[in-house]
Amino acid sequence: MSIQIDNALTAERLAARIEQASAVASDEVVTRALSRDVALPHNFGKTAVLITLDNGFDHRRPNTLGPRSLGELNEAIDAALAREDVAALMITGKPYILAAGADLSAVPKITSLDQGKAIAQIGHAVFDKLHTAAIPTFAFINGLALGGGLELGLHCRYRTISAAAQGIGLPECFLGMFPGWGGTYLLPNLIGAESAVRVIIENALNSNTMLDGTAAHSLGIADAIFDGADFLERSFDWAGQVVAERLSVDRPEVDRGAAWDAAIKRGKKIADAKTSGAAPGPYKALELMAAARTADRRSAYAAEDEGLAELLMSPQLRAGLYAFDLVQKRAKRPAGAPDRSLARAVSSVGIVGAGLMAGQLALLFARRLEVPVIITDLDQQRVDRGLTYVRGEIDKLLIKKRISPDKANRLRALVVGTIDRAAYGQCDFVIEAVFEELEVKRAVFAELEKHISADCILATNTSSLSVSAMAADLAHPERVVGFHFFNPVAVLPLLEVVRGQQTSDATLATALFVAKELRKNAVLVKDAPAFVVNRLLTRLMGEVTKAVDEGTPIEVADTALRPLGLPMTPFALLQLVGPAVALHVAETLNGAFGDRFGVSPSLKALVAADRPGIYDLTPDGRPYVSDETRALFSVGDAPSTAEQVRERATAALADEIGLMLREGVVAAPMDIDLCLILGAGWPFHNGGITPYLDREGISERVIGRRFLPKGIAEPAAT
């Protein structure tokens, strides 16, 4: 059987490229390509070759595709295609995983455009053999298929997918890059530009949303879907029918008219809204997808090669990969954490308060820990209101089919309420979620100590108050810890775990254990006013509000930070948290740190007028500033430009971060970035904040040094 060669690289050149890239990726965990013969059903003795990708680890370490892994796959494909007796080639992965895409660990070691281009060319050359093979090729997507893993499947002529598969997508734009192994060409030409924009742009930029097997099949990414239990056997049978021509695969015609252009325009609006033009990856993806309507495959792949090489050397991508590494590694083991063996078991949880935050906490603890949860408040009416909220949220999860009816019944039974705080006597972990006032919280803890066991942990959800001060007069201050969640609790993954002056290692270890069980990423912070996220956001908000007080138009000040690609403007954030809360935190920090945390008279006026924020909404939902709101602002005659507002705000951030690091609020700048990424949704393509401040020269100008060494979140050569 002859092998069709339609690759840009000859066999010799491909081997040289693999060797070149392997030298850079010296620490690669190799994913093996294990081949075995399979008798094709319905084909009277015809043989297929099944290649299984397997890196030798269980499902907790997904297959990745570095240069040596691609070299192994290349050899397995060549060996199968060289045989005269092989009627089909099939690829799948180890249990639950096809592949999690390219091995990105070596990217920081890339120092030239040519090295980056080699990575792109190798993927194209190896995968394209599946596209151009003279025999049918099949991908059996048995689980996780991300980035290059999904692109591998797209190169096959046919695809099946498991109904149980989770984690299907092209997340590259989330990291500031684009699908560079054929995704921008193959996907729109398979499922249409509109659906491809959803997968490549919209899902990726919407907190890296993934598809499951059913959604991927409905979009047309897979030709057939089978249950997980016998997925492989049914995929063999289906493939055998296709090869025997007993079954034909019909795909809808792709609309290459005005709908294609409309989809690209929609994608650009999404990219603008999510990144404000600050991340080049999504825009390059859209450029390549636009060209894919008329481009041939070879020229499309050459454009991906060039674009990927350029992006791999860009500071935005390196910052994105730095952020990804923080979330994947540093967030799993908080810096400064005590030994895990000190953690105590938690079999029952108490929540003081029955308001909105308390209700969110009750549901989270019940869902993740699956232990009894008790809520209390000052009167039964408030308790009942809190329980009604929790049960309503459980009903919503049931309606959305995110939990089963049995699970819903168990959750309802786990969460109970009372006005008797003696009920906390059986709890191992009690968290307060009452009014943000120090004396109120001190009184709550003093009352709790009368009822709880000697080993019970006392946690506070304070956003700005001193944990040490709350614990100071208790008989056992060593069991008090800060446990600061971010709103909405179910969405934002950060937990600021605060060690008070007397918090014990056992208390801290238990708090970190609970955080992990709640599926939250904990950052260990010192007991300092407002900790990390609220301290930085309040300093930022103060500078923007001060600019308005000085005479800068509200709209100019509020949009000045758009080039940073933040998830929302400062005044949209003010609308979310509420002016009263923002004022309280500003006053707390002003009392602690002085005038660098100003208290705006305009913000005071908003609170006095009981305004929900600066913006009102038009009937169709667009925000605007009413004349009544403008009248509340006392403005001066020294307006700033947007650039000046941005300069003063980012300089203030650099100053505050420098002070926080000097005070030891966190262990390192990486923890600052983690907090802003996970707790405030700051973009990956900036690496949080410190890489941006370094890259723009702001940190050196303000504090006289960089936060991170060169080469950590940007190319070492820059």
Coordinates of all heavy atoms in Angstrom, one line a residue, residues 176-231:
G176 N -4.1 33.0 26.0 CA -3.5 34.1 25.2 C -2.9 33.6 23.9 O -2.2 34.3 23.2
M177 N -3.2 32.3 23.5 CA -2.7 31.8 22.2 C -3.8 31.5 21.3 O -4.9 32.0 21.4 CB -1.7 30.7 22.4 CG -2.2 29.6 23.3 SD -0.9 28.4 23.8 CE -0.3 27.8 22.3
F178 N -3.7 30.5 20.3 CA -4.7 30.1 19.5 C -4.5 28.6 19.1 O -3.3 28.1 19.2 CB -4.9 31.0 18.2 CG -3.7 30.8 17.3 CD1 -3.6 29.9 16.3 CD2 -2.6 31.7 17.4 CE1 -2.5 29.7 15.5 CE2 -1.5 31.6 16.6 CZ -1.5 30.6 15.6
P179 N -5.5 27.9 18.7 CA -5.3 26.5 18.3 C -4.3 26.4 17.1 O -4.7 26.8 16.0 CB -6.7 26.0 17.9 CG -7.6 26.9 18.7 CD -6.9 28.3 18.6
G180 N -3.1 26.0 17.3 CA -2.1 26.1 16.3 C -1.7 24.8 15.5 O -0.8 24.8 14.8
W181 N -2.5 23.7 15.8 CA -2.2 22.5 15.0 C -3.4 22.1 14.2 O -3.9 21.0 14.1 CB -1.9 21.4 16.0 CG -0.5 21.4 16.6 CD1 0.5 22.1 16.0 CD2 -0.1 20.7 17.7 NE1 1.6 21.9 16.8 CE2 1.3 21.0 17.8 CE3 -0.6 19.9 18.6 CZ2 2.1 20.5 18.9 CZ3 0.2 19.4 19.7 CH2 1.5 19.7 19.8
G182 N -4.0 23.1 13.5 CA -5.1 22.9 12.5 C -6.4 23.3 13.0 O -7.4 23.3 12.2
G183 N -6.6 23.6 14.3 CA -7.9 23.9 14.8 C -8.6 25.1 14.1 O -9.8 25.0 13.9
T184 N -7.9 26.1 13.8 CA -8.6 27.3 13.2 C -9.0 27.1 11.8 O -9.8 27.8 11.3 CB -7.6 28.5 13.3 OG1 -6.5 28.3 12.5 CG2 -7.3 28.9 14.7
Y185 N -8.5 26.0 11.2 CA -8.9 25.7 9.8 C -9.9 24.5 9.8 O -10.9 24.6 9.1 CB -7.7 25.3 9.0 CG -8.0 24.8 7.6 CD1 -8.2 25.8 6.6 CD2 -8.1 23.5 7.2 CE1 -8.6 25.4 5.3 CE2 -8.4 23.1 5.9 CZ -8.7 24.0 5.0 OH -9.0 23.6 3.7
L186 N -9.6 23.5 10.5 CA -10.5 22.3 10.4 C -11.8 22.5 11.1 O -12.8 22.0 10.6 CB -9.7 21.1 11.1 CG -8.5 20.6 10.3 CD1 -7.7 19.6 11.2 CD2 -8.8 20.1 9.0
L187 N -11.8 23.1 12.3 CA -13.1 23.2 13.0 C -14.1 24.0 12.3 O -15.3 23.5 12.1 CB -12.9 23.7 14.4 CG -14.1 23.6 15.3 CD1 -14.4 22.1 15.5 CD2 -13.9 24.2 16.7
P188 N -13.9 25.2 11.8 CA -14.9 26.0 11.1 C -15.3 25.3 9.8 O -16.5 25.4 9.4 CB -14.3 27.3 10.8 CG -12.8 27.1 11.0 CD -12.6 26.1 12.0
N189 N -14.4 24.6 9.2 CA -14.8 23.9 7.9 C -15.5 22.6 8.2 O -16.1 22.0 7.3 CB -13.5 23.6 7.1 CG -13.1 24.8 6.3 OD1 -13.8 25.3 5.4 ND2 -11.9 25.3 6.6
L190 N -15.6 22.1 9.5 CA -16.3 21.0 9.9 C -17.7 21.3 10.4 O -18.7 20.7 10.0 CB -15.6 20.2 10.9 CG -16.3 19.0 11.5 CD1 -16.4 17.9 10.5 CD2 -15.5 18.4 12.8
I191 N -17.8 22.3 11.3 CA -19.0 22.6 12.0 C -19.6 24.0 11.7 O -20.6 24.4 12.2 CB -18.9 22.4 13.5 CG1 -17.9 23.4 14.1 CG2 -18.5 21.0 13.8 CD1 -17.8 23.4 15.6
G192 N -18.9 24.8 10.8 CA -19.3 26.1 10.5 C -18.6 27.1 11.4 O -18.2 26.9 12.5
A193 N -18.5 28.3 10.9 CA -17.8 29.4 11.6 C -18.5 29.8 12.9 O -17.8 30.1 13.9 CB -17.7 30.6 10.7
E194 N -19.8 29.8 12.9 CA -20.5 30.3 14.1 C -20.2 29.3 15.3 O -19.9 29.8 16.4 CB -22.0 30.3 13.8 CG -22.9 30.6 15.0 CD -22.6 32.0 15.7 OE1 -22.1 32.9 14.9 OE2 -22.8 32.1 16.9
S195 N -20.4 28.0 15.0 CA -20.1 27.1 16.1 C -18.6 27.1 16.5 O -18.2 26.9 17.6 CB -20.5 25.7 15.7 OG -22.0 25.6 15.6
A196 N -17.7 27.2 15.5 CA -16.3 27.3 15.8 C -15.9 28.5 16.6 O -15.1 28.4 17.5 CB -15.5 27.3 14.5
V197 N -16.6 29.6 16.4 CA -16.3 30.8 17.2 C -16.8 30.5 18.6 O -16.1 30.9 19.6 CB -17.1 32.0 16.6 CG1 -17.2 33.1 17.6 CG2 -16.3 32.5 15.4
R198 N -17.9 29.8 18.8 CA -18.3 29.5 20.1 C -17.2 28.7 20.9 O -16.9 28.9 22.0 CB -19.6 28.7 20.0 CG -20.1 28.1 21.4 CD -21.3 27.2 21.3 NE -21.5 26.4 22.5 CZ -22.3 25.4 22.6 NH1 -23.1 25.2 21.5 NH2 -22.4 24.7 23.7
V199 N -16.7 27.6 20.2 CA -15.7 26.8 20.8 C -14.4 27.4 21.1 O -13.8 27.4 22.1 CB -15.6 25.5 20.0 CG1 -14.5 24.6 20.6 CG2 -16.9 24.7 19.9
I200 N -13.9 28.1 20.0 CA -12.5 28.6 20.0 C -12.4 30.0 20.8 O -11.5 30.2 21.5 CB -12.0 28.8 18.6 CG1 -11.8 27.4 18.0 CG2 -10.6 29.5 18.6 CD1 -11.4 27.4 16.5
I201 N -13.4 30.8 20.6 CA -13.4 32.2 21.2 C -14.3 32.3 22.4 O -13.8 32.5 23.5 CB -13.8 33.2 20.2 CG1 -12.9 33.1 18.9 CG2 -13.7 34.6 20.8 CD1 -11.5 33.5 19.1
E202 N -15.6 32.1 22.2 CA -16.5 32.3 23.3 C -16.3 31.4 24.5 O -16.2 31.9 25.7 CB -18.0 32.2 22.8 CG -19.0 32.6 23.7 CD -20.4 32.6 23.1 OE1 -20.6 32.0 22.0 OE2 -21.3 33.2 23.7
N203 N -16.3 30.1 24.3 CA -16.1 29.2 25.5 C -14.7 29.5 26.1 O -14.6 29.5 27.4 CB -16.1 27.8 25.0 CG -17.6 27.3 24.7 OD1 -18.5 28.1 24.9 ND2 -17.7 26.1 24.3
A204 N -13.7 29.6 25.3 CA -12.3 29.8 25.9 C -12.3 31.1 26.8 O -11.7 31.1 27.9 CB -11.3 29.9 24.8
L205 N -12.9 32.2 26.3 CA -12.8 33.4 27.0 C -13.8 33.6 28.1 O -13.8 34.5 28.9 CB -12.9 34.6 26.0 CG -11.8 34.7 25.0 CD1 -12.0 36.0 24.1 CD2 -10.4 34.8 25.7
N206 N -14.8 32.7 28.1 CA -15.8 32.6 29.2 C -15.4 31.7 30.2 O -15.9 30.6 30.4 CB -17.2 32.2 28.6 CG -18.3 32.4 29.6 OD1 -18.1 33.1 30.6 ND2 -19.3 31.7 29.4
S207 N -14.3 32.0 30.9 CA -13.7 31.2 32.0 C -13.4 29.8 31.6 O -13.5 28.9 32.4 CB -14.7 31.2 33.2 OG -15.0 32.4 33.7
N208 N -12.9 29.7 30.3 CA -12.5 28.4 29.8 C -13.5 27.3 29.9 O -13.3 26.2 30.4 CB -11.2 27.9 30.5 CG -10.4 26.9 29.7 OD1 -10.6 26.8 28.5 ND2 -9.5 26.2 30.4
T209 N -14.7 27.6 29.4 CA -15.8 26.7 29.4 C -15.6 25.5 28.5 O -15.0 25.7 27.4 CB -17.1 27.4 28.9 OG1 -17.4 28.5 29.8 CG2 -18.3 26.4 29.0
M210 N -15.9 24.3 29.0 CA -15.6 23.1 28.2 C -17.0 22.5 27.7 O -18.0 22.8 28.2 CB -14.9 22.0 29.1 CG -13.6 22.5 29.7 SD -12.4 22.7 28.4 CE -11.0 23.3 29.4
L211 N -16.8 21.6 26.7 CA -18.0 20.8 26.3 C -17.9 19.5 26.9 O -16.9 19.0 27.3 CB -17.9 20.7 24.7 CG -17.9 21.9 23.9 CD1 -17.6 21.6 22.4 CD2 -19.2 22.7 24.0
D212 N -19.1 18.8 27.0 CA -19.1 17.4 27.3 C -19.4 16.6 26.0 O -19.5 17.2 25.0 CB -20.1 17.1 28.4 CG -21.6 17.5 28.0 OD1 -21.8 17.7 26.8 OD2 -22.4 17.6 28.9
G213 N -19.4 15.3 26.2 CA -19.6 14.5 25.0 C -20.8 14.8 24.2 O -20.8 14.9 23.0
T214 N -21.9 15.0 24.9 CA -23.2 15.2 24.3 C -23.2 16.5 23.5 O -23.6 16.6 22.3 CB -24.3 15.3 25.3 OG1 -24.4 14.0 26.0 CG2 -25.7 15.5 24.6
A215 N -22.6 17.6 24.1 CA -22.5 18.9 23.4 C -21.6 18.8 22.2 O -21.9 19.4 21.2 CB -22.0 20.0 24.4
A216 N -20.5 18.1 22.3 CA -19.5 18.0 21.2 C -20.2 17.3 20.1 O -20.0 17.7 18.9 CB -18.3 17.3 21.7
H217 N -21.0 16.3 20.4 CA -21.7 15.5 19.3 C -22.7 16.4 18.6 O -22.9 16.4 17.4 CB -22.3 14.2 19.9 CG -23.1 13.5 18.9 ND1 -24.4 13.3 18.9 CD2 -22.7 12.8 17.8 CE1 -24.9 12.6 17.9 NE2 -23.8 12.2 17.2
S218 N -23.5 17.1 19.4 CA -24.5 17.9 18.9 C -24.0 19.0 18.0 O -24.7 19.5 17.0 CB -25.4 18.5 20.0 OG -24.7 19.5 20.8
L219 N -22.8 19.5 18.3 CA -22.2 20.5 17.4 C -21.6 19.9 16.1 O -21.3 20.7 15.2 CB -21.0 21.2 18.1 CG -21.4 22.3 19.2 CD1 -20.2 22.8 19.9 CD2 -22.2 23.4 18.6
G220 N -21.5 18.6 16.0 CA -21.0 18.0 14.9 C -19.5 17.7 14.9 O -18.9 17.3 13.9
I221 N -18.9 17.9 16.1 CA -17.5 17.6 16.3 C -17.2 16.1 16.1 O -16.2 15.6 15.6 CB -16.9 18.1 17.6 CG1 -16.9 19.7 17.6 CG2 -15.5 17.6 17.9 CD1 -16.6 20.3 18.9
A222 N -18.2 15.3 16.7 CA -18.1 13.8 16.5 C -19.3 13.3 15.7 O -20.3 13.9 15.7 CB -18.2 13.2 17.9
D223 N -19.0 12.3 15.0 CA -20.0 11.7 14.1 C -21.0 10.8 14.8 O -22.1 10.5 14.3 CB -19.4 10.9 12.9 CG -18.4 11.8 12.1 OD1 -18.9 12.8 11.6 OD2 -17.2 11.5 12.0
A224 N -20.5 10.2 15.9 CA -21.4 9.2 16.6 C -21.0 9.3 18.1 O -19.9 9.6 18.5 CB -21.2 7.8 16.1
I225 N -22.0 9.0 19.0 CA -21.8 9.1 20.4 C -22.3 7.8 21.0 O -23.4 7.2 20.6 CB -22.6 10.3 21.0 CG1 -22.3 10.4 22.5 CG2 -24.1 10.3 20.7 CD1 -22.8 11.7 23.1
F226 N -21.5 7.2 21.9 CA -21.9 5.9 22.6 C -21.7 6.1 24.1 O -20.9 6.9 24.5 CB -21.0 4.8 22.0 CG -21.1 4.6 20.5 CD1 -20.0 4.8 19.7 CD2 -22.3 4.3 19.9 CE1 -20.1 4.7 18.4 CE2 -22.5 4.2 18.6 CZ -21.3 4.3 17.8
D227 N -22.4 5.3 24.8 CA -22.3 5.3 26.3 C -20.9 4.9 26.7 O -20.2 4.1 26.0 CB -23.3 4.3 26.9 CG -24.7 4.8 26.8 OD1 -24.9 6.1 26.7 OD2 -25.7 4.0 26.9
G228 N -20.5 5.4 27.9 CA -19.1 5.2 28.3 C -18.8 3.7 28.7 O -17.7 3.3 28.5
A229 N -19.8 2.9 29.1 CA -19.5 1.6 29.6 C -18.9 0.7 28.5 O -18.0 -0.1 28.7 CB -20.7 1.0 30.2
D230 N -19.5 0.8 27.3 CA -19.0 -0.1 26.2 C -18.6 0.8 25.0 O -18.8 0.4 23.9 CB -20.1 -1.1 25.8 CG -21.4 -0.4 25.4 OD1 -21.5 0.8 25.6 OD2 -22.3 -1.2 25.0
F231 N -18.1 2.0 25.3 CA -17.7 2.9 24.3 C -16.8 2.4 23.2 O -17.0 2.5 22.0 CB -17.1 4.2 24.9 CG -16.5 5.1 23.9 CD1 -17.3 5.8 23.0 CD2 -15.1 5.2 23.8 CE1 -16.7 6.7 22.1 CE2 -14.5 6.1 22.9 CZ -15.4 6.8 22.0

